Amino acid sequence: MLKHLRSAGIKKTFGFSCASLFQLVFCLVFEQKNWYRLLKSNQSINYPAKDAVYRFLNHSKFAWRRFLLFLSANAIQKVSDLTDHHRPKVLIVDDSSFYRQRSKTVELLARCFDLDHASQKCDSIRGFACNARLVGSTFMPIDLSLLSSKKAQINGINAQIDKRCSGYKRRVGALQTAPEQIPSMIERALKWC
């Protein structure tokens, strides 16, 4: 994983290394703890402050999409060596919703419509439309795009972000529609996987 962090250009110059911060956040899921509880525990002196972790996760120049693509391509290659070569491989585009009902100041937050397939009702939610792409029968995520709306937008793009970085490009891409996003996502998947 650390090799993929470096190849995606996710680096720090001082403080806790990217490897240790990523490992800390990654392991929290498997320990079934959240960041707040970890900082309130007796072991909190061994961990970085919450600002260091939030700056690491929210850094606009880190190419998280490229990291996910490199990591997934490597995992798919390892899994494909173990599976039958005649087994079909498919790309699945999932258009789900990412709910942020209690949020007020989240960047690019919008009112989206979500179709509840069980009740066949279309509800208006606060959050994002989520385009996730998965591969084959193992369901490995290759790419992810959170889509906002130009018309139903609650909050806009932060004006202080450098327009040359990958974070700004992701924000501009979030204002596109799903049919505009999907061809580039498929192109990236076919190039690397």
Side-chain angles (χ1 to χ4, degrees):
M1 248 190 255
L2 306 179
K3 175 181 76 169
H4 300 304
L5 278 171
R6 283 191 301 274
S7 61
I10 300 175
K11 303 173 191 161
K12 284 183 62 185
T13 54
F14 62 91
F16 283 89
S17 68
C18 286
S20 63
L21 290 173
F22 184 81
Q23 186 177 7
L24 175 67
V25 172
F26 188 77
C27 290
L28 279 177
V29 175
F30 298 105
E31 294 175 7
Q32 297 179 351
K33 291 183 181 177
N34 63 20
W35 186 239
Y36 175 77
R37 290 283 176 211
L38 188 66
L39 287 179
K40 292 295 181 187
S41 70
N42 295 335
Q43 300 172 349
S44 64
I45 57 172
N46 300 330
Y47 298 118
K50 69 176 185 176
D51 294 342
V53 174
Y54 290 137
R55 276 194 309 267
F56 171 70
L57 293 174
N58 294 328
H59 200 289
S60 63
K61 292 186 180 177
F62 289 167
W64 290 108
R65 175 180 269 170
R66 195 176 324 147
F67 167 72
L68 177 63
L69 192 61
F70 290 159
L71 181 65
S72 297
N74 187 280
I76 289 167
Q77 189 255 340
K78 289 184 187 297
V79 169
S80 66
D81 291 342
L82 301 173
T83 57
D84 186 17
H85 295 292
H86 300 293
R87 189 176 203 166
K89 295 179 183 175
V90 260
L91 286 174
I92 301 169
V93 177
D94 179 23
D95 188 15
S96 303
S97 296
F98 184 62
Y99 296 94
R100 294 300 299 248
Q101 295 289 63
R102 295 174 54 196
S103 300
K104 293 179 183 170
T105 59
V106 173
E107 192 174 3
L108 291 175
L109 185 69
R111 284 185 174 68
C112 302
F113 288 102
D114 181 38
L115 175 65
D116 184 9
H117 293 288
S119 65
Q120 295 296 317
K121 289 194 314 186
C122 190
D123 294 329
S124 176
I125 63 155
R126 276 164 55 153
F128 303 95
C130 176
N131 272 339
R133 189 163 1 84
L134 308 168
V135 165
S137 60
T138 54
F139 297 109
M140 289 191 200
I142 295 177
D143 207 341
L144 175 74
S145 180
L146 293 177
L147 301 178
S148 186
S149 172
K150 291 180 184 176
K151 296 177 185 173
Q153 203 174 82
I154 297 171
N155 299 323
I157 297 176
N158 186 355
Q160 298 174 346
I161 292 179
D162 185 9
K163 303 214 178 349
R164 298 168 292 177
C165 68
S166 62
Y168 184 77
K169 293 173 189 171
R170 288 292 298 256
R171 286 163 172 86
V172 169
L175 295 175
Q176 292 178 331
T177 61
E180 293 171 337
Q181 279 274 328
I182 291 171
S184 62
M185 293 172 81
I186 292 173
E187 186 179 316
R188 278 191 300 272
L190 293 176
K191 180 179 176 184
W192 290 100
C193 298

